[in-house]
Amino acid sequence: MHTRSRRLPTTLLAIAIALALAACGPDASTPDATTATPTTPAPTAPAPASQTGTDWGTIWDGVPAGFPRFPGSTTADDATGTPASDIYAVPAGDPAVIAAWLQTAMENATYSTEGLSGPFEDGSFVLDSVGDTGCRIQTTVAPLGNLVLVTVLYGAECPAA
C-alpha cells in the first residue's frame, strides 16, 4: 500500500508565510536601523581666531598653544567682564614669585621684558613683554582671596592665537 505524504502541504504553507512576511518588511533599497551605515559629518574648519578692542589695545581672544602658563593653574572666568586673551587662577601663590616666574618663562619663550611693575597697593604686579614685529603682551598678576588671578592681554600684532 502506498500512503501519500502530508509534508508537502505543510512545506508549501511555510514558504508562503515566509514570502508574505518578506513582502511586508522594509524595502531592500531603503536601509533600516540595523543595516544602515552611520555617516561621519564632514570635518569643519576651525573658526578663525577673533580679536577684541580694549583700553590697552586690540587683543587676540586667546593665546597660542604652548604660551607660558604658571604650573598648577586652572582656567578662570573674569567676574568683572573685562576682555582678556587668557585668565587663570593659581591657588595660594605669592604674586611676586608668580610674576618673577612668568618673566623668566616669557624671556625663555623669546619675549623681552619691557617692564615689571609692582607691587601696587592691591598687591598686584604687571609684566609688559614684547616680541618680534611689535608684538606686545601684558600680564597682570593679582591676589584675589586665597587665589592669584593671572590675566593676559595678547596683542593683535602677535602671531595668531
Side-chain angles (χ1 to χ4, degrees), residues 66-130:
F67 189 80
R69 191 175 220 205
F70 194 79
S73 62
T74 58
T75 300
D77 292 326
D78 183 11
T80 66
T82 305
S85 303
D86 193 17
I87 301 173
Y88 59 92
V90 179
D94 178 354
V97 171
I98 295 168
W101 185 93
L102 286 168
Q103 179 180 10
T104 300
M106 294 292 283
E107 289 173 354
N108 288 339
T110 71
Y111 298 104
S112 300
T113 299
E114 193 171 71
L116 176 59
S117 306
F120 295 102
E121 283 185 24
D122 64 356
S124 66
F125 290 80
V126 175
L127 173 63
D128 288 298
S129 306
V130 293

Side-chain angles (χ1 to χ4, degrees), residues 122-143:
D122 64 356
S124 66
F125 290 80
V126 175
L127 173 63
D128 288 298
S129 306
V130 293
D132 297 337
T133 68
C135 171
R136 295 179 334 136
I137 302 159
Q138 186 176 77
T139 307
T140 303
V141 180

